[in-house]
Amino acid sequence: MSRVRKVGLIGWGAIGRIVGSAVAAGEVPGAELVGIVDNRPLGDAVPAPQLTVEQALESCDLIVEAAGQGVVREWGEAILASGTDLLVASTGALTDEELSKKLLASGPGRVYFTGGAVGGLDLLQAVRAMGPLNEIRLTTTKLPSTLEQPWMNGELLAAMRSATEPVEVMRGTARDVPVRFPKSTNVAASVALAVGNLDAVQVSVIADPAAVHTSHVLEASGAHGSYRFEMRHLPDAVNPATSQVVPYAVLRSLAALAGRPGQIL
C-alpha cells in the first residue's frame, strides 16, 4: 500500500485556506493535513494544529508553501535538508538563481513546483527536450489596484489609477518582473522554469481597469513548432492579486505527489 503523505501547510491565506480545508476533509487521497504554519495566531477555527516550521519538520514529510516568496528564501534549504519534500507555489522566488541552484542541489528532501495560474508548461518542457525555443513571450493583464507597488513613482501610479484603457506598467524578462511584483507575477517564473531560461522569457505587465478576468497570454516558438496558450481567470475574491484557480492547481500537484491515480503528469 502507498504511504500517506504527512502534509504541513505554510500559510493560511487565500490559497492556504482552500488547500488546507480540502486536505483536512479527505479530498486528496493519500494526504493527511498534520499542521498549519502561520505567523498570526489562528485560534481554533482551523482544521489542524498550528505549528512552528521546526515542529512541522518533525512530523511531516511534505511541506506545501502557500505564503509567499519570503518563505521559500528563508526556509527552503532547511526544509529540504531535514529530508522533507517541498511543494512551492511562489515560484517567483526562483528568479534568484543562487537560491534556485541551492534548492535543486539540496536534499535529501525534494523540491517541486506548481504551475499555478498558467497552463502549457508540461508541453513546453517536452518541446525544450528537442531543442531551445527561440522566442517566448508572456503578457499578463490585471486590475490596476492589484499591481500597485512601493517602488512605483507618482507618475506611474497616477496613470494606473486614472486609466480608462490598458496601461503597460513594466516590460522585462522573467528574471526581473517577479521581483518587482512578488504577489502578482509568479506565472513568469513558472514559465521560465519550464523553458529553463529566465532571460529568454519576455514579459509585459498590463494594468487594465476593465479587466474582469486576470489574463495570461503565453506564446512560444522554435524549430519544432509554435505554441500559444491563453488563460483568463476570475481573481480571488479575498486576494485579487491571485487567481481563483491557484489553490486548485496546488491541490492538483499535491494529489500527484500523494499518488492519486489518473493524474496527468
Side-chain angles (χ1 to χ4, degrees), residues 8 34 52 60 108-109 160 178 194 215 243 251:
V34 172
T52 64
C60 300
M160 291 169 59
S215 74
S243 298
L251 284 167

Side-chain angles (χ1 to χ4, degrees), residues 39-233:
N39 58 12
R40 303 160 298 177
L42 300 177
D44 299 325
V46 290
Q50 185 169 359
L51 307 175
T52 64
V53 175
E54 292 85 356
Q55 289 171 329
L57 296 184
E58 292 177 359
S59 53
C60 300
D61 57 55
L62 173 62
I63 297 292
V64 177
E65 173 277 310
Q69 297 179 20
V71 170
V72 184
R73 295 190 185 97
E74 182 177 359
W75 289 103
E77 286 185 84
I79 291 169
L80 298 173
S82 75
T84 307
D85 292 344
L86 174 62
L87 175 60
V88 174
S90 302
T91 53
L94 281 304
T95 56
D96 180 339
E97 284 192 300
E98 190 64 29
L99 174 62
S100 180
K101 289 176 183 177
K102 287 179 180 178
L103 292 183
L104 292 173
S106 293
R110 296 184 178 185
V111 62
Y112 302 93
F113 309 101
T114 183
V118 64
L121 303 185
D122 52 348
L123 180 59
L124 291 184
Q125 283 188 311
V127 172
R128 168 187 166 192
M130 297 189 291
L133 289 156
N134 301 328
E135 190 173 5
I136 308 114
R137 296 189 304 275
L138 174 69
T139 302
T140 290
T141 303
K142 294 192 171 190
L143 286 168
S145 60
T146 68
L147 294 171
E148 291 190 10
Q149 301 295 324
W151 55 263
M152 291 179 171
N153 60 34
E155 182 179 357
L156 178 55
L157 287 170
M160 291 169 59
R161 292 168 181 171
S162 62
T164 57
E165 58 186 26
V167 175
E168 184 177 66
V169 297
M170 185 174 180
R171 180 184 292 265
T173 69
R175 181 187 301 278
D176 308 318
V177 172
V179 176
R180 294 295 192 98
F181 298 91
K183 296 181 180 180
S184 299
T185 56
N186 284 308
V187 163
S190 298
V191 173
L193 282 169
V195 302
N197 190 332
L198 288 165
D199 297 312
V201 183
Q202 298 297 314
V203 184
S204 176
V205 181
I206 307 294
D208 183 357
V212 176
H213 294 83
T214 293
S215 74
H216 304 286
V217 179
L218 172 57
E219 299 170 283
S221 62
H224 301 285
S226 60
Y227 313 91
R228 187 179 192 278
F229 310 95
E230 181 171 356
M231 286 65 61
R232 291 169 55 82
H233 304 295

Side-chain angles (χ1 to χ4, degrees), residues 235-246:
D236 184 88
V238 176
N239 177 17
T242 193
S243 298
Q244 283 184 358
V245 73
V246 172

Side-chain angles (χ1 to χ4, degrees), residues 17-28 251:
R17 284 188 179 94
I18 292 175
V19 172
S21 297
V23 177
E27 295 175 16
V28 183
L251 284 167

